[in-house]
Amino acid sequence: MSKSIYKVYRAFERFWHWMQALLIFFLAFSGFEIHGAYSFFGFKDAVKYHSIAAYMFLILIIFAIFWHFATGEWKQYIPTFENIKAQLNYYIFGIFKNSPHPTKKTVLSKLNPLQKITYFGLKIMVIPVIVSSGLFYMFYRYPTSHGIQAMNIKSLELIAVVHTLSAFLLVAFIIVHLYLITTGETVTSNLKAMLTGYEELDNLTEEANSAARTLDLSTTIEENR
Amino acid sequence: MKKIVVIIAFISLTLVIILGILSQREYEPTTLMKLKEKYSKKHSSSVDHSQFAILQKDFSAPQQVTIACISCHNLRHKEVMESNHWNWEKEDYIQGRGIVYLGKKNAINNFCIGTQGNEKSCAKCHIGFGMDSKGKIFTDSTNIDCLVCHDNTETYVKAQEKGGAPVSTLDFNKIAQGVGKPKRTNCGVCHFYGGGGNNVKHGDLEMSMFEPTKETDIHMGTDGMNLQCVDCHTTEKHNISGKLYSLASTGNNRNTCEQCHTNTPHDDDMLNKHTIKVACESCHIPVYAKVKATKMSWDWSTAGKLKNGEPYIEEDSMGNHAYMSIKGSFVWKKNVKPDYIWFNGTASHYLEGDKISDTTIPLVLNQLNGSYSDGESKIIPVKIHESKQPYDPINRILIQPKLFAENKGEGAFWKDFNWQKAAEIGMKDANLPFSGKISFIKTKMYWPVNHMVSSKELTVKCKECHTRKDSRLSGLNDFYMPGRDYSIPVEKSGLWLIVLSIIGVLTHGSVRIFNSIKKKRGNK
């Protein structure tokens, strides 16, 4: 099949991705210091920086949600079980034999079924849980200090434990995610794509191409190289 | 369109960063500035007592001075006679026990144990004269000692063991003409020496507080605001605000930092959030007994040893009494980190004659109530004083021994060194049963630490509590504290998850590398 270079990740998407990466790294680093795992900034500053980064993360999330719905990109993340076994087989066996990727990456379907499930889980489970437990963490004293007895939160324990647990999940995700970047067409093609926005992909069918064009998705810069 | 979204996102993010940085800027809170202004105005008396004719005449007895005072301040004696300082007891309420009359008259502490039978000696710190065990002085207003609190000449001194009378060499005219608002010296002369010596009891109130530096006490420092005791312990009709839970059990008439500083005194919101659960003192008094050591424990069971038939005294390295034949062995400590407890403002007390339910554990003489979950408690710093003191193992009550007498042979322990006799007479004086058997029991007292407040630079740092190892709050385990606490299952599974992820990607990666190398070689 012929290949062309497509614009896969648009400017905001890349900005969102790298900003999110930076913030999650920083939040994890300062967060685990607050958790008592090590000392770097000092407890007081770690708390301060963690809070500032948390607000930045919140704003970024609001923009990202808007973007996802405005562009319809949210559909990319609807989980599917189609091809999931093939994808698993690929990671467990095929990849070692240089077998081809079982899922074709196109601008209309950037994610393989495993990615879809993982990112979907992140977006509707891990991130909401870590964000809401984080907000509770920051404001759980509010009812007490303002005499709102009915909403009194007696203990921080549940909030803190849930927040920590989701942090561990995110860190584990990042480790695996960082590695899986290298499993693209070449070792660096995924990374390059997320940096520049462009990636060489199989040509779309005529039908898909026109659909993509109406969505302003496929800016082919070089055809049939 | 795309670009606009990127630009707006970028601008808002930078805005948050800038706001975050700006909010770190330090500035003095206005309440503090107002307070500094208010308390730098020095009090000046509205009358000059040296001009009054009645204070010019000869006084042969301290009671005559009191009569002269009352001749003008002709209702003040009634206020004084209703005060705790005069009565040595007050109506109080102990949960589960009801209304009690509580005070030096009937409480037992783990220092000199109790006043009953020893009044003549103890009365050196009573605001009256002529104290004896009959207690008749409590009804006679001429026995009020106005001068011990109001002498501003700093020459008034009470005599040892004379029932509260002053020494005989005083110039009453000079003293009476020089009266005024009580100063640190007036309060300190009793409150710094409670328990029979400097800093025996409190730990945060001792002779260095007569003229403290700012380093010792930020409020009273003579090189700073130079506050007097009564600036905070405000007084209305001789009812002085503030009290200590060694003798108090309810939360009324308390003195707090908040009454001046409000409960959100910091610029930093995170610190203000702490005030819901943490008392100001917990952070702002990092150590007590900053200048002179304080007594941490008192073991009565070793008392009574004699050298050549005579009582003796041994000193520790700091020059404090380590052993006294009349009192037993002591441990002193300086620059002590407080212990921390939850406290909701109420306490219960061991009173004379109370049965000890469990003699195998230390008996707490003033239990301070509170817990994280009751919603009212705050963490406060305390000095815990431990003691070993005599009790009657048959009747299971603490023994109030007769300690003081003027002469040998009256059965007082400090003269005759005989526990048996001292207990017998002491318990008879206190109208309590005594089986004839004496044992020693460990006792504990909690002394809230409220003074010797440090400057803000020296406050307890976040990390001193929010840490896994050696947290200052390691003794308080009924709540979750970030930095100190964690859930062991979450911690373990989280770490395993990370370790397995790393092992997973490393193995997967190395197999890939190995395969590609093998393939390359094969191609060659």
Side-chain angles (χ1 to χ4, degrees):
Chain A
M1 198 181 277
S2 61
K3 291 192 168 205
S4 309
I5 290 182
Y6 287 91
K7 186 170 186 183
V8 187
Y9 304 111
R10 291 182 293 178
F12 177 79
E13 197 173 10
R14 281 177 283 141
F15 167 76
W16 163 58
H17 174 268
W18 289 113
M19 201 63 200
Q20 175 167 266
L22 201 74
L23 286 173
I24 288 179
F25 268 117
F26 187 78
L27 284 163
F29 187 68
S30 54
F32 277 100
E33 170 164 13
I34 296 167
H35 190 54
Y38 44 79
S39 266
F40 184 79
F41 296 115
F43 189 85
K44 189 179 183 174
D45 286 339
V47 171
K48 194 187 283 170
Y49 301 151
H50 193 76
S51 306
I52 294 170
Y55 281 115
M56 291 170 68
F57 192 44
L58 271 178
I59 291 171
L60 186 68
I61 286 174
I62 291 165
F63 275 94
I65 290 173
F66 174 76
W67 178 85
H68 274 84
F69 283 104
T71 58
E73 280 288 293
W74 62 276
K75 288 177 196 143
Q76 300 263 8
Y77 300 90
I78 300 169
T80 167
F81 292 97
E82 203 183 310
N83 224 7
I84 199 160
K85 212 175 157 200
Q87 192 64 37
L88 265 174
N89 272 333
Y90 171 74
Y91 283 129
I92 299 170
F93 307 107
I95 192 167
F96 302 119
K97 298 182 218 145
N98 269 2
S99 310
H101 280 267
T103 315
K104 291 281 166 267
K105 185 174 183 178
T106 70
V107 286
L108 287 180
S109 173
K110 298 186 233 178
L111 306 171
N112 72 46
L114 278 179
Q115 282 176 308
K116 282 185 187 203
I117 283 185
T118 312
Y119 296 163
F120 185 73
L122 275 183
K123 277 164 187 271
I124 74 144
M125 281 285 298
V126 182
I127 302 279
V129 166
I130 205 163
V131 167
S132 50
S133 59
L135 287 170
F136 272 118
Y137 214 128
M138 285 196 263
F139 296 111
Y140 80 101
R141 301 177 209 75
Y142 187 86
T144 318
S145 58
H146 289 76
I148 311 168
Q149 289 303 316
M151 280 170 61
N152 221 349
I153 296 175
K154 276 263 160 104
S155 171
L156 174 63
E157 183 154 19
L158 181 67
I159 298 168
V161 167
V162 167
H163 198 66
T164 313
L165 184 66
S166 28
F168 274 120
L169 284 174
L170 257 186
V171 170
F173 163 77
I174 286 170
I175 293 166
V176 177
H177 180 71
L178 282 176
Y179 170 70
L180 288 176
I181 288 172
T182 66
T183 61
E185 211 52 50
T186 68
V187 172
T188 54
S189 62
N190 279 340
L191 179 64
K192 240 187 231 162
M194 193 47 95
L195 282 169
T196 63
Y198 296 100
E199 187 175 1
E200 191 181 49
L201 299 175
D202 290 338
N203 274 336
L204 292 166
T205 59
E206 218 22 68
E207 194 186 345
N209 218 347
S210 66
R213 212 170 283 129
T214 51
L215 286 168
D216 185 29
L217 270 174
S218 63
T219 318
T220 318
I221 55 163
E222 204 181 329
E223 283 205 20
N224 301 326
R225 199 169 52 147
Chain B
M1 175 64 195
K2 283 182 290 182
K3 274 187 182 155
I4 293 169
V5 175
V6 176
I7 289 165
I8 293 174
F10 189 73
I11 289 173
S12 354
L13 287 168
T14 23
L15 216 78
V16 172
I17 299 176
I18 290 166
L19 276 176
I21 292 165
L22 284 182
S23 66
Q24 297 168 19
R25 205 169 44 137
E26 279 181 29
Y27 60 91
E28 203 128 41
T30 49
T31 353
L32 192 55
M33 279 155 70
K34 282 182 200 155
L35 285 171
K36 281 185 175 170
E37 196 187 339
K38 179 180 169 190
Y39 284 99
S40 52
K41 286 177 195 143
K42 286 295 155 225
H43 169 82
S44 61
S45 180
S46 48
V47 291
D48 178 1
H49 281 88
S50 67
Q51 305 286 317
F52 291 124
I54 197 168
L55 300 179
Q56 317 279 346
K57 68 172 191 182
D58 270 344
F59 295 113
S60 57
Q63 282 88 348
Q64 292 174 0
V65 182
T66 304
I67 291 166
C69 298
I70 294 174
S71 70
C72 289
H73 302 278
N74 57 15
L75 288 173
R76 289 295 192 196
H77 60 289
K78 292 194 172 164
E79 294 169 16
V80 172
M81 289 169 80
E82 279 173 12
S83 72
N84 315 331
H85 272 108
W86 174 258
N87 288 315
W88 271 10
E89 72 172 9
K90 63 180 181 312
E91 199 178 82
D92 224 331
Y93 177 83
I94 295 180
Q95 210 162 17
R97 186 165 189 158
I99 289 169
V100 290
Y101 287 86
L102 185 62
K104 289 197 189 299
K105 265 186 184 169
N106 63 344
I108 283 203
N109 65 35
N110 60 10
F111 298 87
C112 290
I113 300 174
T115 60
Q116 291 209 13
N118 306 306
E119 286 88 348
K120 253 195 144 146
S121 173
C122 301
K124 197 189 174 199
C125 282
H126 184 244
I127 57 161
F129 316 116
M131 173 83 97
D132 60 15
S133 49
K134 312 273 183 320
K136 76 171 187 337
I137 72 128
F138 291 108
T139 54
D140 180 358
S141 64
T142 60
N143 275 327
I144 295 173
D145 188 351
C146 307
L147 298 178
V148 71
C149 300
H150 291 284
D151 163 41
N152 278 0
T153 66
E154 300 189 7
T155 56
Y156 186 83
V157 184
K158 273 177 174 279
Q160 297 276 10
E161 301 163 1
K162 290 282 182 288
V167 295
S168 55
T169 54
L170 298 176
D171 179 351
F172 283 126
N173 290 100
K174 185 183 153 199
I175 295 169
Q177 289 168 21
V179 291
K181 242 176 128 172
K183 297 202 280 190
R184 285 193 299 265
T185 43
N186 299 98
C187 307
V189 74
C190 286
H191 289 279
F192 296 170
Y193 297 96
N198 180 54
N199 213 8
V200 169
K201 277 184 177 171
H202 293 268
D204 59 338
L205 290 174
E206 56 102 13
M207 58 196 279
S208 74
M209 300 286 267
F210 283 130
E211 298 288 317
T213 60
K214 258 183 356 190
E215 212 175 317
T216 309
D217 190 293
I218 193 75
H219 296 111
M220 293 193 267
T222 49
D223 50 347
M225 291 311 292
N226 199 13
L227 294 189
Q228 304 295 320
C229 308
V230 292
D231 284 330
C232 293
H233 294 276
T234 51
T235 303
E236 199 62 50
K237 297 193 181 299
H238 279 95
N239 176 27
I240 299 171
S241 69
K243 59 197 176 170
L244 201 69
Y245 286 90
S246 50
L247 284 174
S249 62
T250 47
N252 53 22
N253 202 27
R254 262 178 107 176
N255 244 28
T256 60
C257 311
E258 287 93 335
Q259 69 196 33
C260 287
H261 291 284
T262 76
N263 54 12
T264 51
H266 313 95
D267 322 331
D268 184 340
D269 189 42
M270 189 55 82
L271 295 179
N272 283 336
K273 283 174 178 167
H274 280 74
T275 62
I276 304 171
K277 289 288 185 191
V278 184
C280 311
E281 295 93 325
S282 294
C283 300
H284 289 277
I285 309 176
V287 290
Y288 60 90
K290 287 179 184 172
V291 184
K292 293 250 157 75
T294 186
K295 197 174 278 187
M296 300 305 289
S297 82
W298 181 325
D299 183 356
W300 276 100
S301 70
T302 61
K305 286 187 257 178
L306 302 174
K307 272 183 188 161
N308 309 320
E310 290 297 319
Y312 64 97
I313 290 171
E314 279 169 4
E315 290 188 346
D316 67 8
S317 57
M318 289 180 284
N320 303 298
H321 294 153
Y323 179 77
M324 291 171 92
S325 300
I326 59 167
K327 292 179 176 176
S329 329
F330 312 123
V331 175
W332 296 78
K333 275 187 189 159
K334 212 178 126 173
N335 283 321
V336 193
K337 266 191 198 179
D339 286 282
Y340 298 90
I341 58 161
W342 287 108
F343 185 44
N344 63 16
T346 69
S348 61
H349 290 265
Y350 180 92
L351 301 181
E352 272 185 343
D354 283 352
K355 280 245 182 300
I356 305 164
S357 52
D358 188 351
T359 55
T360 57
I361 52 165
L363 171 69
V364 178
L365 299 183
N366 65 329
Q367 184 69 56
L368 305 187
N369 306 320
S371 69
Y372 173 82
S373 55
D374 70 9
E376 303 190 358
S377 296
K378 290 188 182 189
I379 295 170
I380 62 156
V382 289
K383 167 189 166 177
I384 299 178
H385 182 263
E386 287 173 338
S387 178
K388 236 173 148 181
Q389 66 192 91
Y391 84 109
D392 179 338
I394 309 293
N395 292 318
R396 302 165 80 91
I397 54 176
L398 287 183
I399 288 172
Q400 163 69 73
K402 170 93 175 158
L403 295 172
F404 170 78
E406 267 155 293
N407 304 303
K408 273 191 180 180
E410 290 178 32
F413 187 79
W414 289 350
K415 292 281 194 258
D416 302 334
F417 302 99
N418 183 331
W419 276 123
Q420 204 63 36
K421 262 249 171 90
E424 226 164 81
I425 297 172
M427 292 304 262
K428 211 174 147 198
D429 280 347
N431 278 325
L432 289 170
F434 177 52
S435 69
K437 286 233 162 9
I438 300 172
S439 249
F440 287 85
I441 184 169
K442 278 190 179 162
T443 56
K444 268 183 171 181
M445 274 191 93
Y446 291 91
W447 290 75
V449 175
N450 297 308
H451 307 90
M452 292 198 173
V453 175
S454 285
S455 65
K456 66 176 175 186
E457 291 77 22
L458 295 174
T459 49
V460 172
K461 301 282 170 289
C462 309
K463 191 82 188 165
E464 292 180 54
C465 296
H466 292 280
T467 180
R468 293 188 181 185
K469 267 189 188 165
D470 303 324
S471 165
R472 276 184 186 250
L473 300 185
S474 56
L476 297 179
N477 292 311
D478 56 347
F479 71 107
Y480 184 97
M481 183 165 70
R484 181 193 69 172
D485 297 328
Y486 49 91
S487 142
I488 293 169
V490 167
E491 207 72 0
K492 280 200 172 150
S493 46
L495 279 175
W496 273 113
L497 185 66
I498 288 172
V499 168
L500 289 178
S501 306
I502 293 173
I503 293 175
V505 300
L506 286 181
T507 334
H508 201 272
S510 16
V511 175
R512 269 172 71 205
I513 292 168
F514 179 74
N515 274 3
S516 74
I517 292 170
K518 210 167 67 175
K519 209 176 152 202
K520 266 183 200 162
R521 282 200 184 140
N523 287 350
K524 276 175 194 173

